[in-house]
Amino acid sequence: MLFNVGYLILVAALILSAFGVVAGFAGGQQRNQRLVQSSFHAVYAVAGLVGIAAVMLWYGLLTDQFQLTYVWNHSERALPNFYKFSALWGGQAGSLLFWSLLLSLYSVALALLKRRQHQVLMPYVNGVMLATSLFFLILLVFAANPFKQSAFIPADGQGLNPLLQNYWMVIHPVMLYLGYVGLAVPFAFAVGALISKRVGNEWVRTVRRWTLIPWMFLSAGILMGSQWAYMELGWGGYWAWDPVENASFLPWLTGTAFLHSIIIQEQRGIMKVWNVVLIWLTYFLVILGTFTTRSGVLESVHSFALSDVGPLFLGFMIIIVFGFLWLLFKRLYLLKDEQTIDSYSSREAAFLGNNWLFTSITFATLWGTFFPMFSEILTGERISVAAPFFNKVNGPLFLLLFLLMGIGPLLGWRRTGMESLRRQFAWPLVAGVVMGVATIFFSPNPWPSVGLAVCAFATMTIVQEFVRGVMARRTTNNENVLVAMVSLMRRNGRRYGGYIVHLGMVMIAVAIIGNEFFQQTTNVTLTPGTKVELGGYELTYVGLENNRASNRTEVGARVIVHNSSGKMVGSLLPLRNLYDKTPDMPTSEVGLRMTLLEDVYVLLNGWESGGSTATFTIFINPLTIWMWIGGLVLVLGTLIASWPHPVKRTTNVPAGAAVAAAGD
Amino acid sequence: MKIIPIRIIRVLIFLLLLASFTGAALAQTPTPDTSAITADRVNEVARGLWCPLCNGVRLDACELKACDQMKEMIAIKLAEGATDEEIKAYFLEQYGPQVFGQPPTEGFNWLAWILPVVGLIGGGLFVWLRTRRTIGREIAGAAPAQSAAPADDYSQKLEQELSRYD
Amino acid sequence: MTDMTEPLSVPLPDTLAEAAPASRAVLIWRAIFILIPLVFIVFLALRLGTAKSEHRAEGLAPVLEFTTFEGETINLDNLRGQGVMVNFWASWCDPCREEAALLESTWRREKDRGIIFLGLDYLDQEPAAKAYLAEYDITYPNGPDLRSQVARRYGIQGVPETFFIDPEGKIVDIIVGPITSQAQMDGYLDKIRPKEK
């Protein structure tokens, strides 16, 4: 029937991608134009086939084709259409298909945009992208068939996991996958560069945008996951260092290091080995992360159900590790530094330190995530490694990293003289010290004050850079402040967009410090009309409000919030969703009032019938909104940094002349 | 400060004695009265413990029946006058190091803590020593430092020129 | 532009450029880069292997020693020659309640016939556990499995799980979930009865 054809389409895509891999690598090696062209065609064909397969599965979901096991497992008649659509990535097989879809879309975009450039690299790039597609198609065809059918047609499905039935859980995987999948592109270029021996700036310059955009999606995806955890899980926090969370975080760490490190290679021709290793690690961690969430290797509240994909992933990881290492060792002699680092007080040295810190954090996080597995195999004892470990180990490292983030822009290329150092560091240091002293008594713990001081330091660095830039433009071009700022970001988007991203990161750090160290909380049981006081607010419980939706009952408790001067500032309705199909898996909606200063956060724990009493957990979370604001700023900065800007040059510059552009 | 009249002091002493006798009487009851222990006080202790059945869920956030019972146990112990440390030690004895959400610092688990430190310091040392060897020295025959990235379409044109010669 | 200079400084063909033998540092780095991922992947493979098979104990019953709620120490080794039923339970476990009455009534019937029932309380607290025991009037020895040592050795995946151990100390049956039928219970017990002299 129709869905049997769907399976055959996946098989066809598998065969074509295998062919494309061979065509790409062989064609690149032999400079055989026909083979190279075939690899492009394979990319287009695989994308088309995977697209059709995805549309088929969507059709099955949206028209309630419960003979499809996947549809039966993850959908039901009463499920709103929005969630029927998103159920495509709600389960193992469907999400693998979605992965493949996004991967082929990236491959097609890459092929279309680059088909006339990088003639030497592109065949290999196609090859690597298709090899990744091939792996996922192998998973789909042999271990996780989305088109598996049962002999009979069930009347209704089992419904989508209640935790997935909200907006954040729909958008978060999409963002995350766009990030994950996109990071295969720079890796593909790295492999191409190594194989073809063109390890200079060609590949580094090309991948900058193709890394920035996936990085942006990955950052957004991680933040959205945190937002979901904050608003749905109801424990007042947003990150638990759960293995699946860490799985998304690890490639982000190495990817960020890579983004910074390639700047150095572009400018000074050093750190080439760092760069290929960092992007290889990123790709490996992406595959490892995908493996971790699906294989049951680590227990997590997030993971998909156990399936047979594990061994296939292991095989692919072995190929990634040993294949790449073999290639690296063969080409190592080409990756020698063209220059040296001239002094410790140079931007190059700061970026080297950046790489060191990021890889240390990656290693520590990876170690902590997998330690329970090592411990269980070697000693038989089940150790739990949760937030206390990661906070103690990663906390100081992130502090150092933010310090470096502030220091980096203050240092010059090659070396920074004493006079320059004094000038550059003056204001940021003052800002840091002032903030530190001002906040030292906010908490018995010195750490929040230190953290805020470092944030102030980094912020002042960024502000100083903008001020200098604007002042420079005003003296040369006589523009007003606003126009100057816009021009800065247009002409030097890389640099100033990057600073804005850093600003976003500082905001996120401030939110973390606020939530981690200054949170207030209480647990109360209230009768209608009674109130509780917390953090200067008065919260009065009014009564229960029930609502019936298509596949669930929503039980809400109305809580009115007054501030310390008696003014009503919010009417919150924390909910419990009781789903028809899974009554023992209720989900929560937190009643939330966000201001720039703090969040009032109310969770409904339980109630007596009729609402005669209701039990709440209430949090006052300072500064938490800055995490979401910081995320938006981060995305804005990335867009500025990656925006393609028009070039005004019309004259032909003779070959060999060093072209000096302003700023960088 | 006014001097407190002796009459008031006598009343206070009487009340104090009364309270201590009542307290002693209460302490003889078999199950301690936990009504005086607020949920917030329990959660203060619970925030330092982790659900032994779940993965990475803190005790105050856990909704399992086992966790509710653990919190009841905390309330009972608090009513008996145990300190936070004593309660944590009790749970450690009952459930093992899982309840602390971090590996203990003994035996094999020492490795959990020490390896990241070793990695950090070892990696830092290695990078520093490598840099020290070549810092400030010129590499023979290296091209002079380039200062900027040229415009995009220029590099594209160059790319096409070059590829024609490949 | 660096790309411009590339054709000029084209890397020498492999044979010439790689003439310099890899220094010791490079070799050590290669070893590290190869060994660490290799070890990691081996561990992952091991973990995958054990994840598939739930590794409950089999063959000779593992060490079992615990102290009951009454303070009595019980060691499985001292119970050689009798059939032993070891039941893992918890007061917060609803399915455990389904078999509690059956277990107790069977115990009262069997207690002097060469069969011993032992209850191990898994991840529980004493007051709640004692209340559970009082509720079902359980009289066979029960004690807390401190630090889940016994549970770990027997490899249980949850509660309730019951192990039937014969007089020679071998695990004969493992029942996952509550035992709800007397006939089934008798069947398991018959397999671990000591041989009549």
Side-chain angles (χ1 to χ4, degrees):
Chain A
M1 229 204 56
L2 180 68
F3 298 114
N4 292 333
V5 174
Y7 181 70
L8 290 175
I9 287 180
L10 288 178
V11 174
L14 191 158
I15 297 174
L16 278 174
S17 60
F19 168 70
V21 172
V22 173
F25 282 107
Q29 190 79 312
Q30 302 161 17
R31 310 291 176 96
N32 181 330
Q33 271 305 101
R34 277 192 51 212
L35 280 179
V36 169
Q37 277 307 308
S38 297
S39 75
F40 278 89
H41 294 152
V43 167
Y44 303 140
V46 167
L49 290 172
V50 171
I52 294 176
V55 168
M56 273 191 192
L57 189 56
W58 262 316
Y59 168 76
L61 282 165
L62 289 166
T63 57
D64 294 329
Q65 306 282 344
F66 294 118
Q67 71 273 27
L68 276 176
T69 311
Y70 186 78
V71 176
W72 177 74
N73 262 325
H74 298 101
S75 178
E76 54 174 336
R77 285 190 198 279
L79 194 65
N81 276 335
F82 181 59
Y83 294 126
K84 284 186 186 170
F85 179 78
S86 75
L88 184 83
W89 52 86
Q92 177 81 279
S95 70
L96 286 172
L97 183 57
F98 189 57
W99 227 104
S100 302
L101 178 67
L102 292 176
L103 183 60
S104 16
L105 289 176
Y106 263 109
S107 308
V108 165
L110 193 55
L112 284 176
L113 287 170
K114 299 280 180 198
R115 67 183 182 279
R116 297 202 208 293
Q117 307 157 21
H118 310 295
Q119 306 275 357
V120 174
L121 289 182
M122 276 312 286
Y124 299 115
V125 170
N126 285 341
V128 172
M129 297 297 282
L130 283 168
T132 317
S133 285
L134 175 63
F135 170 65
F136 279 89
L137 285 163
I138 289 177
L139 289 177
L140 284 165
V141 167
F142 293 110
N145 179 11
F147 295 112
K148 197 158 79 155
Q149 296 175 69
S150 55
F152 64 101
I153 305 180
D156 198 0
Q158 307 222 295
L160 186 63
N161 185 332
L163 282 172
L164 299 181
Q165 288 187 44
N166 76 77
Y167 167 74
W168 296 114
M169 266 297 120
V170 168
I171 195 72
H172 153 73
V174 177
M175 291 283 141
L176 215 55
Y177 282 17
L178 280 171
Y180 252 29
V181 171
L183 288 172
V185 173
F187 176 68
F189 270 97
V191 170
L194 283 175
I195 296 182
S196 65
K197 301 198 183 123
R198 295 167 71 103
V199 295
N201 276 355
E202 178 188 357
W203 80 272
V204 156
R205 212 169 277 146
T206 311
V207 300
R208 191 184 70 88
R209 270 203 195 88
W210 288 90
T211 314
L212 256 182
I213 300 294
W215 180 89
M216 179 188 78
F217 281 121
L218 185 57
S219 309
I222 293 173
L223 284 170
M224 285 183 182
S226 303
Q227 198 159 15
W228 171 79
Y230 186 65
M231 292 182 179
E232 299 298 317
L233 293 185
W235 52 282
Y238 41 80
W239 186 264
W241 296 102
D242 178 83
V244 169
E245 290 173 337
N246 295 347
S248 67
F249 193 50
L250 287 165
W252 184 90
L253 289 167
T254 53
T256 308
F258 175 73
L259 267 177
H260 287 84
S261 190
I262 53 177
I263 298 175
I264 303 292
Q265 178 171 340
E266 223 185 308
Q267 294 294 329
R268 305 266 299 142
I270 60 174
M271 289 162 66
K272 297 183 181 179
V273 180
W274 270 107
N275 289 335
V276 290
V277 168
L278 282 171
I279 193 59
W280 162 68
L281 278 177
T282 308
Y283 182 77
F284 174 74
L285 289 169
V286 163
I287 302 294
L288 180 70
T290 316
F291 165 73
T292 310
T293 51
R294 291 157 196 286
S295 61
V297 156
L298 294 169
E299 278 174 49
S300 158
V301 293
H302 293 84
S303 2
F304 290 99
L306 271 177
S307 73
D308 302 317
V309 295
L312 290 168
F313 265 98
L314 278 187
F316 190 48
M317 286 196 281
I318 292 176
I319 296 176
I320 296 173
V321 170
F322 295 108
F324 183 83
L325 282 180
W326 173 79
L327 181 61
L328 176 66
F329 292 153
K330 280 201 72 166
R331 299 287 192 257
L332 204 55
Y333 69 98
L334 288 171
L335 300 173
K336 296 215 194 311
D337 286 348
E338 292 171 24
Q339 318 273 343
T340 60
I341 295 183
D342 290 324
S343 121
Y344 289 117
S345 64
S346 64
R347 198 170 290 186
E348 298 93 307
F351 275 63
L352 193 59
N354 197 42
N355 280 356
W356 166 63
L357 277 174
F358 266 113
T359 39
S360 299
I361 296 175
T362 306
F363 173 66
T365 309
L366 190 62
W367 176 242
T369 308
F370 282 93
F371 186 75
M373 181 186 81
F374 296 133
S375 170
E376 194 170 348
I377 291 179
L378 290 175
T379 68
E381 186 142 331
R382 265 185 59 192
I383 296 294
S384 97
V385 178
F389 174 84
F390 291 104
N391 286 339
K392 290 200 178 85
V393 173
N394 280 343
L397 292 179
F398 275 112
L399 191 66
L400 281 176
L401 199 61
F402 272 82
L403 191 61
L404 205 56
M405 190 174 86
I407 292 177
L410 298 177
L411 298 173
W413 291 105
R414 305 197 68 172
R415 63 169 53 84
T416 320
M418 272 312 295
E419 183 49 49
S420 186
L421 276 177
R422 238 192 309 251
R423 226 178 353 112
Q424 295 279 73
F425 273 80
W427 279 112
L429 273 178
V430 165
V433 168
V434 165
M435 176 64 88
V437 166
T439 57
I440 191 74
F441 294 115
F442 283 14
S443 158
N445 194 337
W447 290 112
S449 176
V450 173
L452 287 172
V454 169
C455 288
F457 174 78
T459 310
M460 186 52 92
T461 300
I462 298 170
V463 167
Q464 182 174 267
E465 285 292 300
F466 268 98
V467 165
R468 294 242 172 89
V470 165
M471 274 167 45
R473 284 204 71 84
R474 276 161 65 81
T475 42
T476 54
N477 298 37
N478 215 11
E479 299 163 338
N480 75 35
V481 173
L482 235 61
V483 175
M485 281 203 41
V486 172
S487 306
L488 272 184
M489 299 206 256
R490 275 187 61 213
R491 298 292 320 281
N492 297 297
R494 278 180 72 166
R495 183 187 217 175
Y496 291 95
Y499 289 150
I500 294 185
V501 173
H502 284 183
L503 196 62
M505 290 302 306
V506 168
M507 292 179 186
I508 294 173
V510 165
I512 293 176
I513 293 173
N515 189 295
E516 189 70 31
F517 293 104
F518 297 109
Q519 187 183 63
Q520 300 175 66
T521 178
T522 186
N523 269 72
V524 277
T525 305
L526 295 173
T527 55
T530 54
K531 61 176 154 74
V532 65
E533 265 184 46
L534 184 64
Y537 292 95
E538 247 177 41
L539 296 102
T540 314
Y541 166 52
V542 174
L544 287 185
E545 291 174 24
N546 287 16
N547 180 36
R548 178 75 208 151
S550 65
N551 62 343
R552 62 190 184 278
T553 308
E554 297 173 354
V555 179
R558 178 67 59 188
V559 173
I560 309 289
V561 184
H562 294 263
N563 67 9
S564 44
S565 38
K567 189 176 92 148
M568 179 179 122
V569 288
S571 172
L572 303 177
L573 191 67
L575 294 178
R576 280 274 165 169
N577 293 316
L578 304 168
Y579 287 85
D580 302 333
K581 284 272 162 60
T582 46
D584 49 344
M585 274 174 69
T587 62
S588 320
E589 294 264 348
V590 166
L592 193 57
R593 177 188 178 258
M594 297 195 278
T595 65
L596 289 181
L597 207 54
E598 60 202 352
D599 288 359
V600 179
Y601 179 110
V602 183
L603 178 73
L604 176 64
N605 280 326
W607 60 90
E608 309 248 332
S609 58
S612 50
T613 67
T615 315
F616 300 98
T617 306
I618 304 173
F619 290 96
I620 305 292
N621 290 322
L623 301 173
T624 308
I625 200 177
W626 288 99
M627 183 169 281
W628 325 126
I629 298 178
L632 289 172
V633 170
L634 191 148
V635 167
L636 178 70
T638 318
L639 289 174
I640 293 176
S642 56
W643 199 258
H645 34 72
V647 175
K648 295 187 179 162
R649 238 165 296 278
T650 46
T651 56
N652 265 320
V653 186
V659 181
D664 288 326
Chain B
M1 192 182 97
K2 277 171 57 185
I3 300 177
I4 304 172
I6 188 78
R7 219 178 306 137
I8 307 260
I9 293 185
R10 282 206 207 105
V11 170
L12 286 173
I13 293 180
F14 171 68
L15 285 172
L16 191 65
L17 289 173
L18 186 66
S20 55
F21 279 132
T22 326
L26 282 175
Q28 285 165 20
T29 56
T31 43
D33 176 17
T34 58
S35 57
I37 309 290
T38 61
D40 285 347
R41 180 72 185 99
V42 169
N43 274 332
E44 228 179 284
V45 183
R47 260 195 288 282
L49 292 165
W50 298 74
C51 164
L53 287 164
C54 332
N55 189 49
V57 180
R58 219 167 50 188
L59 187 60
D60 62 306
C62 175
E63 296 185 348
L64 293 180
K65 197 159 150 196
C67 295
D68 286 338
Q69 288 180 323
M70 278 175 79
K71 284 181 255 191
E72 274 167 31
M73 197 62 206
I74 295 177
I76 292 175
K77 291 240 168 238
L78 282 171
E80 286 172 359
T83 64
D84 289 17
E85 289 312 309
E86 288 170 357
I87 298 178
K88 289 195 184 153
Y90 167 75
F91 281 113
L92 175 67
E93 196 192 307
Q94 292 280 315
Y95 299 142
Q98 290 175 259
V99 279
F100 285 151
Q102 61 186 21
T105 46
E106 3 130 289
F108 178 72
N109 300 305
W110 181 233
L111 217 57
W113 297 97
I114 204 68
L115 222 57
V117 178
V118 165
L120 177 77
I121 297 181
L125 266 175
F126 172 75
V127 166
W128 178 52
L129 290 172
R130 273 287 293 281
T131 317
R132 218 161 69 116
R133 258 195 294 139
T134 58
I135 200 160
R137 267 177 262 144
E138 295 288 331
I139 290 189
Q146 308 293 330
S147 51
D152 269 353
D153 72 346
Y154 174 69
S155 61
Q156 267 181 29
K157 280 206 196 116
L158 222 44
E159 195 63 64
Q160 286 165 9
E161 291 285 334
L162 283 175
S163 59
R164 240 177 261 150
Y165 294 117
D166 264 354
Chain C
M1 189 174 126
T2 332
D3 260 340
M4 284 271 331
T5 60
E6 253 199 325
L8 296 173
S9 57
V10 140
L12 302 166
D14 294 35
T15 45
L16 281 176
E18 288 197 79
S23 68
R24 208 178 55 149
V26 173
L27 283 174
I28 294 179
W29 270 113
R30 289 191 191 191
I32 293 177
F33 266 76
I34 292 177
L35 274 178
I36 293 186
L38 187 65
V39 167
F40 185 45
I41 292 182
V42 164
F43 269 94
L44 287 176
L46 280 174
R47 180 70 179 84
L48 268 190
T50 56
K52 284 298 181 63
S53 67
E54 301 164 323
H55 43 118
R56 291 198 182 79
E58 48 185 15
L60 212 56
V63 169
L64 198 167
E65 185 170 358
F66 70 103
T67 310
T68 66
F69 287 114
E70 280 79 42
E72 188 193 338
T73 318
I74 302 205
N75 191 320
L76 187 62
D77 294 336
N78 302 340
L79 300 172
R80 250 342 115 78
Q82 300 182 63
V84 184
M85 183 215 76
V86 179
N87 173 260
F88 291 90
W89 61 278
S91 66
W92 42 263
C93 156
D94 288 333
C96 303
R97 292 166 179 268
E98 289 175 34
E99 61 174 8
L102 176 65
L103 289 179
E104 177 57 21
S105 62
T106 312
W107 165 244
R108 295 193 189 179
R109 196 188 71 194
E110 297 285 347
K111 65 162 104 175
D112 297 315
R113 289 162 56 174
I115 299 276
I116 297 257
F117 277 25
L118 299 175
L120 265 311
D121 188 19
Y122 175 70
L123 286 180
D124 210 343
Q125 304 86 37
E126 204 165 301
K130 287 191 169 164
Y132 178 94
L133 293 173
E135 185 181 335
Y136 293 98
D137 199 17
I138 296 183
T139 55
Y140 57 87
N142 274 275
D145 183 15
L146 290 179
R147 297 202 180 209
S148 309
Q149 299 276 24
V150 184
R152 208 193 328 280
R153 282 195 214 105
Y154 280 73
I156 68 169
Q157 305 290 320
V159 280
E161 286 191 21
T162 315
F163 290 71
F164 289 88
I165 303 169
D166 72 11
E168 282 81 47
K170 265 203 358 272
I171 298 176
V172 175
D173 279 305
I174 304 175
I175 312 303
V176 177
I179 303 171
T180 43
S181 122
Q182 185 73 65
Q184 276 183 341
M185 169 66 93
D186 294 339
Y188 299 132
L189 286 176
D190 287 338
K191 287 205 253 175
I192 61 170
R193 281 184 208 290
K195 301 286 175 285
E196 304 296 325
K197 289 264 184 22

mmCIF file of all heavy atoms in Angstrom, chain C residues 7-23:
data_model
loop_
_atom_site.group_PDB
_atom_site.id
_atom_site.type_symbol
_atom_site.label_atom_id
_atom_site.label_comp_id
_atom_site.label_asym_id
_atom_site.label_seq_id
_atom_site.Cartn_x
_atom_site.Cartn_y
_atom_site.Cartn_z
ATOM 1 N N PRO C 7 49.639 28.656 -3.881
ATOM 2 C CA PRO C 7 50.292 27.971 -5.000
ATOM 3 C C PRO C 7 51.818 28.095 -4.912
ATOM 4 O O PRO C 7 52.534 27.222 -5.356
ATOM 5 C CB PRO C 7 49.769 28.706 -6.244
ATOM 6 C CG PRO C 7 48.486 29.322 -5.786
ATOM 7 C CD PRO C 7 48.654 29.629 -4.331
ATOM 8 N N LEU C 8 52.282 29.202 -4.321
ATOM 9 C CA LEU C 8 53.730 29.385 -4.236
ATOM 10 C C LEU C 8 54.325 28.442 -3.201
ATOM 11 O O LEU C 8 55.375 27.851 -3.416
ATOM 12 C CB LEU C 8 54.062 30.842 -3.852
ATOM 13 C CG LEU C 8 53.627 31.870 -4.892
ATOM 14 C CD1 LEU C 8 53.840 33.271 -4.362
ATOM 15 C CD2 LEU C 8 54.377 31.657 -6.185
ATOM 16 N N SER C 9 53.633 28.330 -2.092
ATOM 17 C CA SER C 9 54.200 27.462 -1.069
ATOM 18 C C SER C 9 53.450 26.140 -1.057
ATOM 19 O O SER C 9 53.040 25.645 -0.028
ATOM 20 C CB SER C 9 54.098 28.143 0.302
ATOM 21 O OG SER C 9 52.752 28.466 0.569
ATOM 22 N N VAL C 10 53.274 25.614 -2.242
ATOM 23 C CA VAL C 10 52.547 24.331 -2.349
ATOM 24 C C VAL C 10 53.254 23.281 -1.524
ATOM 25 O O VAL C 10 54.468 23.194 -1.540
ATOM 26 C CB VAL C 10 52.508 23.917 -3.838
ATOM 27 C CG1 VAL C 10 52.725 22.421 -4.007
ATOM 28 C CG2 VAL C 10 51.201 24.333 -4.466
ATOM 29 N N PRO C 11 52.532 22.532 -0.768
ATOM 30 C CA PRO C 11 53.196 21.522 0.075
ATOM 31 C C PRO C 11 53.919 20.503 -0.785
ATOM 32 O O PRO C 11 53.454 20.134 -1.844
ATOM 33 C CB PRO C 11 52.039 20.860 0.829
ATOM 34 C CG PRO C 11 50.808 21.530 0.401
ATOM 35 C CD PRO C 11 51.099 22.521 -0.660
ATOM 36 N N LEU C 12 55.054 20.126 -0.304
ATOM 37 C CA LEU C 12 55.840 19.162 -1.043
ATOM 38 C C LEU C 12 55.095 17.833 -1.098
ATOM 39 O O LEU C 12 54.313 17.537 -0.217
ATOM 40 C CB LEU C 12 57.184 18.956 -0.345
ATOM 41 C CG LEU C 12 57.996 20.252 -0.188
ATOM 42 C CD1 LEU C 12 59.123 20.040 0.790
ATOM 43 C CD2 LEU C 12 58.511 20.716 -1.538
ATOM 44 N N PRO C 13 55.366 17.050 -2.113
ATOM 45 C CA PRO C 13 54.727 15.725 -2.182
ATOM 46 C C PRO C 13 55.006 14.938 -0.926
ATOM 47 O O PRO C 13 56.004 15.132 -0.268
ATOM 48 C CB PRO C 13 55.385 15.050 -3.386
ATOM 49 C CG PRO C 13 56.130 16.122 -4.087
ATOM 50 C CD PRO C 13 56.225 17.319 -3.239
ATOM 51 N N ASP C 14 54.095 14.027 -0.642
ATOM 52 C CA ASP C 14 54.124 13.304 0.635
ATOM 53 C C ASP C 14 55.499 12.763 0.972
ATOM 54 O O ASP C 14 55.978 12.884 2.085
ATOM 55 C CB ASP C 14 53.149 12.121 0.592
ATOM 56 C CG ASP C 14 51.725 12.617 0.489
ATOM 57 O OD1 ASP C 14 51.506 13.652 -0.169
ATOM 58 O OD2 ASP C 14 50.858 11.983 1.081
ATOM 59 N N THR C 15 56.135 12.161 0.001
ATOM 60 C CA THR C 15 57.391 11.464 0.305
ATOM 61 C C THR C 15 58.445 12.408 0.867
ATOM 62 O O THR C 15 59.125 12.083 1.826
ATOM 63 C CB THR C 15 57.979 10.821 -0.957
ATOM 64 O OG1 THR C 15 57.908 11.784 -2.009
ATOM 65 C CG2 THR C 15 57.161 9.605 -1.357
ATOM 66 N N LEU C 16 58.540 13.609 0.288
ATOM 67 C CA LEU C 16 59.570 14.530 0.756
ATOM 68 C C LEU C 16 59.199 15.162 2.092
ATOM 69 O O LEU C 16 59.964 15.156 3.032
ATOM 70 C CB LEU C 16 59.785 15.645 -0.283
ATOM 71 C CG LEU C 16 60.634 15.237 -1.482
ATOM 72 C CD1 LEU C 16 60.711 16.359 -2.486
ATOM 73 C CD2 LEU C 16 62.026 14.825 -1.036
ATOM 74 N N ALA C 17 57.967 15.695 2.180
ATOM 75 C CA ALA C 17 57.605 16.463 3.374
ATOM 76 C C ALA C 17 57.546 15.581 4.611
ATOM 77 O O ALA C 17 57.824 16.016 5.702
ATOM 78 C CB ALA C 17 56.273 17.143 3.157
ATOM 79 N N GLU C 18 57.160 14.346 4.437
ATOM 80 C CA GLU C 18 57.032 13.508 5.633
ATOM 81 C C GLU C 18 58.324 12.846 6.007
ATOM 82 O O GLU C 18 58.348 11.938 6.802
ATOM 83 C CB GLU C 18 55.952 12.440 5.400
ATOM 84 C CG GLU C 18 54.570 13.046 5.398
ATOM 85 C CD GLU C 18 53.511 11.980 5.597
ATOM 86 O OE1 GLU C 18 53.325 11.576 6.744
ATOM 87 O OE2 GLU C 18 52.900 11.572 4.598
ATOM 88 N N ALA C 19 59.430 13.309 5.413
ATOM 89 C CA ALA C 19 60.712 12.665 5.687
ATOM 90 C C ALA C 19 61.050 12.717 7.162
ATOM 91 O O ALA C 19 61.505 11.748 7.741
ATOM 92 C CB ALA C 19 61.798 13.352 4.873
ATOM 93 N N ALA C 20 60.761 13.867 7.814
ATOM 94 C CA ALA C 20 61.096 13.987 9.231
ATOM 95 C C ALA C 20 60.255 12.987 10.026
ATOM 96 O O ALA C 20 59.043 12.990 9.947
ATOM 97 C CB ALA C 20 60.811 15.409 9.704
ATOM 98 N N PRO C 21 60.902 12.116 10.796
ATOM 99 C CA PRO C 21 60.133 11.116 11.549
ATOM 100 C C PRO C 21 59.304 11.799 12.609
ATOM 101 O O PRO C 21 59.704 12.825 13.152
ATOM 102 C CB PRO C 21 61.202 10.221 12.167
ATOM 103 C CG PRO C 21 62.427 11.066 12.212
ATOM 104 C CD PRO C 21 62.346 12.008 11.059
ATOM 105 N N ALA C 22 58.146 11.225 12.897
ATOM 106 C CA ALA C 22 57.262 11.809 13.898
ATOM 107 C C ALA C 22 57.973 11.847 15.236
ATOM 108 O O ALA C 22 58.502 10.845 15.695
ATOM 109 C CB ALA C 22 55.980 10.984 13.988
ATOM 110 N N SER C 23 57.957 13.037 15.883
ATOM 111 C CA SER C 23 58.666 13.149 17.139
ATOM 112 C C SER C 23 57.931 12.349 18.210
ATOM 113 O O SER C 23 56.792 11.954 18.032
ATOM 114 C CB SER C 23 58.762 14.613 17.550
ATOM 115 O OG SER C 23 57.457 15.068 17.873
#
